[in-house]
Amino acid sequence: MEPPKPSLADRIKKTLGPVGVALLIIAKFFGKLYYLVLPALKFLPVILKTGGTMVLSIGFYALNWGWWFAAGFVLLIFIHECGHLVVARRFGLKVGAPVFIPFMGAFIALKDAPHDAWMEACVGIGGPLFGAAGALGCEMVYLGTGQELFRALAYSGFFLNLFNLAPIGFLDGGRIATALSPWLWIAGLVIMGGMAWLHPNFIVLLILLMSLPRLWMLFRAKTDAEKRYFEVSSGRRWTMAVLYFGLVVLLVLGMRYAHLQPPPCQPALVGWLQGLVELAG
């Protein structure tokens, strides 16, 4: 007796059964993947904003200095900005991700304003402290390898952070000066004015222009809230003064050392050249 032939419905079930199981497995897989990827997607705007502007800056700097130096220079700027970011978050301030602007450096947007001059100064000096450490790291790599690229990066890092310590406007030094004495902004004005006179530069002129509102505040009547903002205890003022002027001295010494110190491979190179001369003679 022949077995009954399967009906059309049975054949469809038999064919689609494995497909349904496969689809169910795939659905479960993508369901789990969704919950894994969803948290990462929250960071996508940050990655695009910081990473995208970093790549853009590297491309612009590479037009003048080459890809390797451009990448290292932008990384040093990133380390500098991370210093501001870390200190701001230590104070509980909400901050945005670093954004890079070619030939103008980078910035982080403070979504919460500092509560007083001490907090503003601490956030301000965080960048140069991290940046100086990054430049020193480049110098250490250079001393260990003799690669001139790292010496150039070290010198540039020392100079970049020293420039940012000029006590004026929105530069880090201008923010630090709020905890020392706002009248230091006048010294910053003289420094930047001298630079603009001797070496006219768009960035320096822009800094001077954007510093005018804060400079004007020195000579107008201040509200009670503004007076309270600049109140800093003598202990904190001395602490910030030691950090600020000590960092200035260290950066100047770092620039001088990186500029004048011969590379560690130079004695061997001189000996090799002398050997060639003797052989030629």
Side-chain angles (χ1 to χ4, degrees), residues 238-251:
W238 275 106
T239 299
M240 189 57 62
V242 170
L243 286 173
Y244 177 65
F245 292 107
L247 187 56
V248 168
V249 171
L250 290 176
L251 289 170

Side-chain angles (χ1 to χ4, degrees), residues 32-156:
K32 293 180 179 179
L33 187 63
Y34 171 79
Y35 287 108
L36 290 173
V37 172
L38 184 61
L41 291 177
K42 294 180 181 179
F43 295 97
L44 186 60
V46 174
I47 294 172
L48 292 177
K49 183 166 60 175
T50 300
T53 53
M54 281 183 73
V55 172
L56 182 64
S57 292
I58 290 173
F60 273 95
Y61 291 131
L63 295 176
N64 291 326
W65 302 322
W67 288 101
W68 287 110
F69 181 86
F73 186 68
V74 171
L75 182 59
L76 285 175
I77 297 175
F78 179 72
I79 293 172
H80 176 104
E81 294 302 319
C82 283
H84 295 309
L85 192 69
V86 168
V87 177
R89 287 186 173 175
R90 288 279 294 180
F91 278 107
L93 299 176
K94 294 180 181 179
V95 293
V99 176
F100 290 77
I101 304 175
F103 300 110
M104 293 190 67
F107 70 93
I108 59 169
L110 286 175
K111 299 178 181 179
D112 293 334
H115 302 155
D116 51 40
W118 169 252
M119 189 180 296
E120 181 178 353
C122 288
V123 174
I125 204 169
L129 285 173
F130 273 56
L136 181 61
C138 290
E139 180 66 19
M140 298 302 292
V141 172
Y142 165 74
L143 293 174
T145 64
Q147 294 291 327
E148 292 288 345
L149 170 66
F150 291 98
R151 165 134 292 179
L153 287 171
Y155 182 87
S156 300

Side-chain angles (χ1 to χ4, degrees), residues 6-29:
S7 64
L8 178 61
D10 293 334
R11 290 199 298 269
I12 292 174
K13 289 180 181 179
K14 186 176 181 180
T15 303
L16 296 182
V19 175
V21 173
L23 290 175
L24 182 62
I25 294 173
I26 292 172
K28 289 184 176 180
F29 171 76

Side-chain angles (χ1 to χ4, degrees), residues 176-194:
I176 296 166
T178 58
L180 301 177
S181 171
W183 290 99
L184 281 172
W185 295 338
I186 300 297
L189 176 65
V190 173
I191 293 171
M192 283 295 160

